[in-house]
Amino acid sequence: MVHSEESGAQVGTSPADRIDTSVPHPARRYNYWLGGKDNFQADRESGDAIAAAFPTIRLAALENRGFLRRAVAYLTREAGIRQFLDIGTGIPTADNTHEVAQSIAPESRVVYVDNDPIVLAHARALLTSAPEGATAYIDADLRDVDTILGHPDLRRTIDLDQPVALMLVAILHFIHDRDDPYTIVDRLLDALPVGSYLVASHATDDYLPPQVAAAARESANAEGQHGTIILRSRDEFVRFLDRPGLSMIEPGITSVAHWRAEHEPQPRPTAAEAGIYAAVVRKD
């Protein structure tokens, strides 16, 4: 889900000690947009400020959630995937990855990764698995690839010799270019076997007026702060997916509102209203 680029973790501190209610956090801001109650004044003010510039942001958050649900259902039902690594979990809401997967295949196993202590508390309380399957939660930053892949909870829950669905849904746009998000994705995919999948969505400025898009990019690069959204073009999104050994799943790169959404309420929001690209690729 929509989460932070900053881990904020400090050696010797408990998760509760890391909660700073005066600073907006993407996971809590996303919760606010979805109508949740697990957010603070700073999150609501930040959410409202973004909504003032991007009036369809709440719609985009809902459509992104719908994409995740449909992608997990496709992978479980049609691709036979039974293992998921969901990085950027967010505060649990309806249709979490394990709920969708285990409603189809109860033996599905899911590892969630996020770095917000409030997410950690909710995950431990709410992300309970079906008896046949398993779920685990890792407190880590997306950029900490070695920590994630080497974590004992991941190794206990997921067999990295068997196909895994890597879920990077609305998380990559929190990684600045200076942190080389493309290499992060490559390293994660390199650790997964043939037959694995990557599910990704990313906010874009392609549908914004040129002057608004330029201002958004300048602001993000100048601030470089906790939770800044880095808008990228379609071509920049393609770079995450365009590597040898990956094949695109139909319908290819499209809006989160349109990816296999034939059975969703019609008419669908436009790509401009959603403002988020989505795709699923297979490692061959």
Side-chain angles (χ1 to χ4, degrees):
M1 306 310 308
V2 177
H3 314 302
S4 159
E5 57 155 333
E6 307 282 352
S7 68
Q10 299 177 23
V11 176
T13 62
S14 70
D17 293 333
R18 287 163 39 202
I19 298 175
D20 185 350
T21 63
S22 68
V23 177
H25 189 281
R28 302 193 303 258
R29 187 172 59 207
Y30 190 75
N31 174 264
Y32 171 58
W33 287 332
L34 290 175
K37 301 183 183 302
D38 298 299
N39 49 75
F40 300 99
Q41 185 64 31
D43 306 308
R44 295 188 287 273
E45 290 176 353
S46 174
D48 288 342
I50 294 175
F54 308 101
T56 61
I57 190 65
R58 291 181 176 87
L59 171 67
L62 291 168
E63 290 301 327
N64 184 72
R65 193 70 183 180
F67 162 67
L68 181 146
R69 170 176 49 80
R70 296 192 301 275
V72 172
Y74 161 78
L75 290 172
T76 309
R77 183 178 290 116
E78 300 185 39
I81 293 295
R82 297 294 182 266
Q83 302 189 118
F84 296 82
L85 175 56
D86 186 340
I87 304 179
T89 307
I91 296 170
T93 181
D95 295 331
N96 299 291
T97 296
H98 78 284
E99 292 172 327
V100 177
Q102 292 181 352
S103 70
I104 299 167
E107 70 275 20
S108 298
R109 308 175 75 82
V110 180
V111 172
Y112 290 107
V113 180
D114 207 299
N115 59 15
D116 179 65
I118 290 180
V119 173
L120 173 61
H122 281 277
R124 287 176 171 167
L126 299 176
L127 299 183
T128 55
S129 173
E132 302 91 332
T135 59
Y137 179 87
I138 297 174
D139 183 12
D141 188 292
L142 170 60
R143 296 170 298 180
D144 297 333
V145 175
D146 291 336
T147 297
I148 294 170
L149 294 176
H151 200 284
D153 288 346
L154 182 144
R155 297 287 174 163
R156 279 193 293 265
T157 307
I158 286 180
D159 179 358
L160 292 180
D161 291 327
Q162 298 298 318
V164 176
L166 172 62
M167 311 289 295
L168 298 178
V169 177
I171 178 69
L172 292 169
H173 50 227
F174 293 114
I175 307 299
H176 284 262
D177 288 342
R178 62 176 175 267
D179 292 316
D180 197 358
Y182 300 103
T183 295
I184 290 172
V185 174
D186 285 346
R187 291 183 62 201
L188 288 166
L189 285 172
D190 286 343
L192 304 181
V194 168
S196 294
Y197 288 80
L198 168 63
V199 178
S201 64
H202 198 299
T204 183
D205 54 8
D206 281 353
Y207 302 101
L208 298 177
Q211 65 273 23
V212 175
R217 291 200 177 212
E218 182 179 355
S219 175
N221 290 326
E223 294 173 8
Q225 64 183 7
H226 186 76
T228 301
I229 297 176
I230 310 299
L231 301 173
R232 292 188 171 99
S233 68
R234 188 183 191 280
D235 287 345
E236 289 171 311
F237 180 56
V238 167
R239 284 184 57 197
F240 289 109
L241 317 168
D242 186 18
R243 52 173 276 169
L246 295 183
S247 58
M248 189 74 64
I249 302 302
E250 292 294 334
I253 297 173
T254 185
S255 167
V256 289
H258 301 154
W259 196 91
R260 294 187 178 242
E262 296 82 4
H263 300 296
E264 298 286 354
Q266 304 292 327
R268 304 300 298 139
T270 67
E273 288 171 329
I276 302 176
Y277 285 121
V280 177
V281 295
R282 184 183 189 275
K283 183 174 179 179
D284 298 322

